[in-house]
Amino acid sequence: MKDEKYRVAIYSPGMVGFGHIRRNASIAQALSCSALQPVIVMIAEARQAGALPVPEGVDTVTLPALRKEADGRCKPRYLDVSNPELIRLRARVIRSAMNVFEPDVLIVDHLPRGAACELDRVLEHLRRHGKTRCVLGLRDVLQDPQTVHSTWSEQGSLNTIQDYYDAVWIYGDPAVYDPIHEYRLPDRVAAKVHYTGYLDQRPRLQFVGAQVADILASLPPGRLAVCVVGGGHDGAALAEAFLRADLPPGTTGVVVMGLYMPRTTRRCLRRIAERRPLVKLLDFVPEPAPLINRADRVIAMGGYNTLCEVLSFEKHALIVPRVNPKPEQLIRAERMRDLGLIDMLHPDNLSPQAITEWLARDLGPPPPSRSRIDFGGLNCIPGMLAALLEVAAGAGPPAGTAIVS
């Protein structure tokens, strides 16, 4: 018998960047602040979980880290063990957490079967022995349609969604990108889809820690241009181009390199930054939302969370999307550009001069992003959770009722 509060587990596969866990941290915050006030456990890679702030009242079960290779294979990021050993270790940690925590709802981010199919036995067990509702949470753009079709077919993802998931939440607005149409999802999967709207990043300002507060306090008055490159593993070209660009008079620049940027790249960028006194180079910022909020201009890659940040704060942004090995960021950036919400620069055309020219342009008033597309995801998700639990959105579990999973 469990306590009276509903229990929610949220899984982040990790592997590349911080998008999954940042997205899940925002969702955890929204659920914690809702009338349901569930007990929440996030399942995430250890160094990611330790690097990012999470809402009060939320705790984390940590996993050893994986790295996704260019060919799509997963390998240990830090441990000197074989691939199968690491996957078995992660899978056992996840199964143990599910057995002890007994969540009423499991929200899985992005991968229906988890990284390297590590959720297969968990999903089967939950469906066979428990009453846990399972939700697949997806960003707006997964990849190009051909890649999604081939990958999901090879991995059996559509069958997994049909057999084990009660709902699919898409964190986007179908007026921007409609995965049901774009990916021609079969009826049995499309029937489970609910669009939440994009996830407004402004509530994350509550996570401002001492490090970010000190950074903001150290910046001189005047205009601020911020360059962010996600996890940083492939952000060297953009960071270097920004460092070498000429800033407009009265403008300070900040570059956030990211936790996964290679050490040799960091050393190279630091040497360049030594000759650029108007640019501040940061290794990693656990919560970038305050920097984005303070910025007048943002130069960034095109990941889901980054686009949500610049659009939530309605900033002038130049997006230089990743185009290889997959065009996810390019597709998203092109859609937002066509709506007039961002400027886009193809990475083939990236140069210090291109950034200099964009920074010097008069871009007019900030784009009215929040009035153009649906940003109500964090307001919508608690109600969707309540619907899964078959309770009123404004009420928690009845007093004295035991929740059995």
Side-chain angles (χ1 to χ4, degrees), residues 172-187:
D173 180 348
V176 179
Y177 196 85
D178 184 353
I180 291 179
H181 170 73
E182 299 285 349
Y183 303 137
R184 301 191 303 277
L185 296 181
D187 292 343

Side-chain angles (χ1 to χ4, degrees), residues 13 45 63-64 66 86-94 115 118:
E45 291 186 355
L63 306 173
L66 285 169
L86 190 71
I87 297 302
R88 286 199 300 270
L89 176 58
R90 285 171 56 111
R92 287 176 182 174
V93 170
I94 296 168
E118 65 188 356

Side-chain angles (χ1 to χ4, degrees), residues 162-289:
Q162 179 182 4
D163 294 342
Y164 299 116
Y165 285 92
D166 300 278
V168 178
W169 294 349
I170 296 179
Y171 308 128
D173 180 348
V176 179
Y177 196 85
D178 184 353
I180 291 179
H181 170 73
E182 299 285 349
Y183 303 137
R184 301 191 303 277
L185 296 181
D187 292 343
R188 67 185 188 275
V189 172
K192 300 183 179 187
V193 168
H194 303 271
Y195 293 95
T196 68
Y198 286 94
L199 306 184
D200 191 339
Q201 299 298 293
R202 291 176 296 168
R204 294 190 64 79
L205 291 175
Q206 300 175 34
F207 288 155
V208 180
Q211 178 197 14
V212 181
D214 290 344
I215 291 169
L216 292 173
S218 71
L219 297 175
R223 297 173 63 81
L224 178 67
V226 172
C227 176
V228 290
V229 294
H233 64 283
D234 59 354
L238 179 56
E240 181 175 348
F242 181 84
L243 280 173
R244 296 186 184 279
D246 295 327
L247 300 178
T251 299
T252 301
V254 171
V255 178
V256 183
M257 292 186 287
L259 197 62
Y260 294 146
M261 182 170 284
R263 292 180 181 178
T264 54
T265 304
R266 291 175 186 272
R267 288 196 292 269
C268 177
L269 294 179
R270 289 192 185 101
R271 287 195 294 269
I272 299 171
E274 289 172 357
R275 305 189 296 272
R276 312 292 289 185
L278 297 178
V279 181
K280 190 178 187 70
L281 194 61
L282 305 176
D283 282 318
F284 175 73
V285 175
E287 179 46 72

Side-chain angles (χ1 to χ4, degrees), residues 60-327:
T60 308
V61 172
T62 59
L63 306 173
L66 285 169
R67 180 179 72 249
K68 192 170 185 179
E69 301 290 285
D71 60 7
R73 292 184 300 171
C74 297
K75 292 187 176 181
R77 184 179 291 276
Y78 303 114
L79 290 182
D80 186 14
V81 298
S82 70
N83 295 358
E85 285 178 309
L86 190 71
I87 297 302
R88 286 199 300 270
L89 176 58
R90 285 171 56 111
R92 287 176 182 174
V93 170
I94 296 168
R95 290 201 302 273
S96 296
M98 294 297 99
N99 288 338
V100 175
F101 187 59
E102 295 184 306
D104 298 287
V105 176
L106 168 64
I107 301 174
V108 173
D109 192 281
H110 182 55
L111 298 176
R113 300 176 65 185
C117 302
E118 65 188 356
L119 295 183
D120 281 359
R121 291 181 62 184
V122 169
L123 293 170
E124 182 181 355
H125 177 82
L126 292 176
R127 183 58 75 209
R128 189 170 62 243
H129 298 290
K131 297 181 180 178
T132 301
R133 289 80 159 177
C134 294
V135 177
L136 176 63
L138 299 176
R139 61 182 184 245
D140 54 349
V141 182
L142 301 176
Q143 292 295 354
D144 61 283
Q146 182 178 355
T147 298
V148 172
H149 276 290
S150 62
T151 301
W152 278 19
S153 296
E154 292 171 2
Q155 297 178 353
S157 295
L158 290 175
N159 290 334
T160 297
I161 297 171
Q162 179 182 4
D163 294 342
Y164 299 116
Y165 285 92
D166 300 278
V168 178
W169 294 349
I170 296 179
Y171 308 128
D173 180 348
V176 179
Y177 196 85
D178 184 353
I180 291 179
H181 170 73
E182 299 285 349
Y183 303 137
R184 301 191 303 277
L185 296 181
D187 292 343
R188 67 185 188 275
V189 172
K192 300 183 179 187
V193 168
H194 303 271
Y195 293 95
T196 68
Y198 286 94
L199 306 184
D200 191 339
Q201 299 298 293
R202 291 176 296 168
R204 294 190 64 79
L205 291 175
Q206 300 175 34
F207 288 155
V208 180
Q211 178 197 14
V212 181
D214 290 344
I215 291 169
L216 292 173
S218 71
L219 297 175
R223 297 173 63 81
L224 178 67
V226 172
C227 176
V228 290
V229 294
H233 64 283
D234 59 354
L238 179 56
E240 181 175 348
F242 181 84
L243 280 173
R244 296 186 184 279
D246 295 327
L247 300 178
T251 299
T252 301
V254 171
V255 178
V256 183
M257 292 186 287
L259 197 62
Y260 294 146
M261 182 170 284
R263 292 180 181 178
T264 54
T265 304
R266 291 175 186 272
R267 288 196 292 269
C268 177
L269 294 179
R270 289 192 185 101
R271 287 195 294 269
I272 299 171
E274 289 172 357
R275 305 189 296 272
R276 312 292 289 185
L278 297 178
V279 181
K280 190 178 187 70
L281 194 61
L282 305 176
D283 282 318
F284 175 73
V285 175
E287 179 46 72
L291 268 178
I292 303 297
N293 183 42
R294 166 72 172 79
D296 298 278
R297 302 282 182 99
V298 179
I299 296 90
M301 298 177 72
Y304 175 90
N305 281 58
T306 299
L307 263 294
C308 280
E309 287 166 353
V310 299
L311 297 176
S312 295
F313 291 106
E314 298 191 328
K315 298 297 179 177
H316 286 301
L318 178 65
I319 301 301
V320 186
R322 178 190 303 122
V323 298
N324 291 311
K326 303 298 181 183

